Amino acid sequence: STGSTGFAAHNWSGALHDGKQELITHFRECWRDILDDDECSRLEKLLLICEFPFTVCRKLTVSIPCEGSYCRALVALSLALSPLWVGIYAWNNFDTNLWGWQMGVFVAVTLPLGLMILRYAPGGEGTMATFLAVPIALYGFVIAATWIDAIADKLVALLEFLGVTLRIPNSIMGLTILAWGNSMADLSANVTMARKGLANMAITACFAGPLFNILIGLGAGFGLLRGIKQQEILYVSLTPDISTGFVFCFANCIFILFSGLAVNKGVIPAGYGYMAIGMYAVYVVTSLVLNYALPESS
């Protein structure tokens, strides 16, 4: 009932039938994963159920041909439907109309590719060839990035609304709610890796993630702002809480280098964890004091 296991369909009729069964099975398993997960509380299950329609929409537009999450029909359908999401995203976020000849060209490329995958790609527990899976995965990554950008845009708008309603400065919202919410997934993943003995990978991710956000986020943000403003030079000013963040980041890096390399010869001591938590608490308190004690400077 889940399609032709590891083999391509015999004909187009069989491909359509297998694809229908694979989609039903896939989303049924996703639903059961929510209901049968004993590690989730009732509140978490309720939130996942509320999120499920958006999860379905995301899955129907983001192609994932990787082993472990491969579903032939879903890869084919997501390729075919991805132009619709790109059109909606471009219209809502950039006021760009792609619903003309551009959309026609886009669909003319992705729709045949989706049909070819549905017809000739392996089904069931099979996997796609690497030379096909890699470009599709890269394309899926780009589409996933548009989802992240769209959701982040709505999140920022929600935070601005809460900040205006509760009279909380934007810098405080970014320092607390936005920062914690944005980092919880990374925190959970890094702690899990550390508990499984992958401490080096976990601590590398602690630095690689923020580095990616700073370099790519600031670079792309200023690039888009330059295009919108049509200015060669953009002046910025550092608020006290941003300057404080730079100081604490620099101090943290210096402490890691000194204690890990100079003192302990390549081993970071266990006490560093307590010191880092204490340093973050001092940073938050200092930033809050600077924002409320020096409102004119922010």
Side-chain angles (χ1 to χ4, degrees):
S1 61
T2 59
S4 49
T5 305
F7 299 96
H10 296 291
N11 49 51
W12 284 104
S13 177
L16 293 175
H17 176 269
D18 288 350
K20 177 183 176 181
Q21 296 301 321
E22 288 173 359
L23 285 176
I24 294 175
T25 301
H26 178 80
F27 287 112
R28 186 176 294 166
E29 290 178 353
C30 292
W31 181 255
R32 287 176 178 173
D33 288 341
I34 296 175
L35 299 181
D36 298 337
D37 190 353
D38 296 331
E39 296 182 357
C40 291
S41 63
R42 292 183 179 179
L43 177 60
E44 291 174 330
K45 289 184 179 181
L46 177 61
L47 294 177
L48 289 174
I49 292 174
C50 295
E51 185 189 1
F52 189 74
F54 301 97
T55 302
V56 172
C57 293
R58 188 182 71 248
K59 284 178 173 289
L60 290 178
T61 53
V62 178
S63 303
I64 305 178
C66 306
E67 184 178 359
S69 57
Y70 171 73
C71 175
R72 175 182 56 183
L74 191 58
V75 173
L77 189 59
S78 60
L79 270 177
L81 296 181
S82 60
L84 303 180
W85 162 249
V86 173
I88 296 173
Y89 168 76
W91 179 263
N92 289 335
N93 289 64
F94 301 100
D95 293 328
T96 302
N97 187 6
L98 298 179
W99 297 98
W101 63 268
Q102 301 95 330
M103 183 59 64
V105 174
F106 203 173
V107 173
V109 174
T110 58
L111 182 58
L113 287 177
L115 291 175
M116 292 300 103
I117 290 175
L118 183 63
R119 172 64 176 84
Y120 297 106
E125 299 297 328
T127 56
M128 294 184 65
T130 303
F131 75 94
L132 290 176
V134 170
I136 294 175
L138 291 176
Y139 175 73
F141 174 80
V142 174
I143 301 299
T146 63
W147 272 95
I148 294 173
D149 182 59
I151 295 173
D153 184 66
K154 302 303 180 184
L155 176 61
V156 171
L158 177 61
L159 290 178
E160 290 180 351
F161 171 76
L162 293 177
V164 172
T165 304
L166 302 177
R167 297 183 180 181
I168 302 175
N170 289 336
S171 57
I172 300 299
M173 297 292 289
L175 175 67
T176 55
I177 298 177
L178 181 59
W180 295 337
N182 190 42
S183 302
M184 281 301 170
D186 293 337
L187 174 63
S188 177
N190 294 338
V191 171
T192 301
M193 286 189 294
R195 288 176 175 174
K196 292 183 177 181
L198 303 174
N200 289 335
M201 183 184 298
I203 197 168
T204 301
C206 289
F207 288 94
L211 187 64
F212 178 85
N213 290 335
I214 292 173
L215 298 182
I216 302 301
L218 288 179
F222 277 111
L224 292 174
L225 183 62
R226 180 184 176 184
I228 295 174
K229 296 288 186 179
Q230 297 297 324
Q231 297 178 358
E232 292 295 327
I233 300 177
L234 297 172
Y235 293 96
V236 298
S237 59
L238 297 179
T239 58
D241 52 324
I242 296 178
S243 302
T244 304
F246 283 140
V247 171
F248 276 87
C249 283
F250 182 76
N252 180 54
C253 292
I254 292 298
F255 181 83
I256 290 178
L257 292 175
F258 178 76
S259 63
L261 296 179
V263 178
N264 295 288
K265 299 180 180 180
V267 178
I268 298 178
Y272 164 74
Y274 300 103
M275 191 284 304
I277 295 175
M279 182 179 292
Y280 178 75
V282 174
Y283 158 66
V284 172
V285 172
T286 303
S287 298
L288 292 175
V289 170
L290 289 175
N291 272 276
Y292 285 105
L294 303 173
E296 67 280 357
S297 63
S298 58

